[in-house]
Each structure stands twice: as structure tokens, then as C-alpha cells.
Amino acid sequence: MQTALIYSSLLMGIAGGPHCVAMCGAACTALTQSPQTPYAIYHYHIGRLCGYALLGAIATFAIQSIAWLSSYSSVLHPLWTFFHVLIFFWGVLLIIYARQPIWVDRAGRNIWGHVKKLSTKQGGHFYIGMLWALMPCGLLYSA
């Protein structure tokens, strides 16, 4: 069992590497490449490691709690189904219109403005790395 899990994780990492470079590479480079902060990329990646480790611990606890709760309560099943249906229809709308809704685009631009401000502060690249773990990534979360 463990060997199969290790090999499947390795294959997902190898196959997903180009996806990660294409989706996040430009943004990471834009944030961390500056003559004033030559070690920003290292602070950023250390922050990412810490952020993903923290979210992994939180997810582990949350999933255990939800699994325990769902075995004793059927209240969560309709809510779980509702969110799956909601995300499915969001995907259908993305296919039809080939763009995000305007409010999502505005929210993303607003968040990017805050991230750029944070990058100029002392230790900001570390915190940006930690916050990067909150970026929605289907490849990462499906793993």
C-alpha cells in the first residue's frame, strides 16, 4: 500500500511539474525577483513549505473530525452535495463563457494589490509564501 502511494505521488509530481510552472511560475517570479531583495525566493519557498505543512495539519484534523461527525449525522450529506453541485455548475459556466465572472476577476485584482504591498515589507515574502498555500489549485488538492 505505501509503495503504491509513494509511486503514484512521484508520478503526479513529475506529470504535474509543467502545470505548476505554467500556472504559478510567472507570478512567483514577479514577486520574488528584485535587485533589492536577492534572497526573496528562498524566503518565499520556506514560507510555502510552512504554509502547506500547516494546512496539511489543519486538513488532517478537519477531515478526521468531519468523518467522525458524518458517521453520526446525516445533516452534512446534503450540504456536501450542494457544494459539489455548485462547483459543477460554476465549471459549466466557465466552459460556456470562457472567463471568470467579473466579481471574481475584481476580487483577484484586489488581492493581488495587497500581495504586492506585502512583498515590500520586511519578511513579506515569507508571509506571501505561507499565504500561497491558500491558492486554489486543482492539481494539488486532488492529490
Side-chain angles (χ1 to χ4, degrees):
M1 172 69 178
Q2 294 296 334
T3 305
L5 183 61
I6 290 170
Y7 285 132
S8 64
S9 298
L10 176 67
L11 287 174
M12 283 183 76
I14 291 170
H19 166 82
C20 297
V21 169
M23 295 302 291
C24 294
C28 295
T29 303
L31 281 171
T32 58
Q33 295 302 312
S34 167
Q36 296 86 5
T37 54
Y39 297 108
I41 192 82
Y42 301 116
H43 297 151
Y44 167 77
H45 285 300
I46 291 169
R48 279 186 53 231
L49 287 172
C50 292
Y52 284 123
L54 179 64
L55 281 181
I58 290 169
T60 299
F61 176 74
I63 295 301
Q64 284 179 335
S65 300
I66 290 171
W68 175 81
L69 184 62
S70 69
S71 67
Y72 293 103
S73 172
S74 62
V75 174
L76 291 178
H77 295 289
L79 184 66
W80 187 258
T81 303
F82 168 76
F83 280 114
H84 278 82
V85 170
L86 180 74
I87 295 300
F88 174 78
F89 282 115
W90 185 306
V92 169
L93 287 175
L94 288 175
I95 290 170
I96 292 170
Y97 293 111
R99 65 177 174 80
Q100 288 283 1
I102 293 171
W103 66 271
V104 174
D105 191 48
R106 282 189 191 135
R109 290 178 192 274
N110 188 21
I111 290 169
W112 184 253
H114 291 298
V115 167
K116 287 297 280 183
K117 284 184 211 172
L118 181 60
S119 71
T120 62
K121 298 187 185 307
Q122 179 70 24
H125 290 97
F126 175 80
Y127 296 116
I128 290 171
M130 284 191 71
L131 291 172
W132 202 269
L134 298 174
M135 288 285 289
C137 175
L139 179 66
L140 175 69
Y141 296 141
S142 66

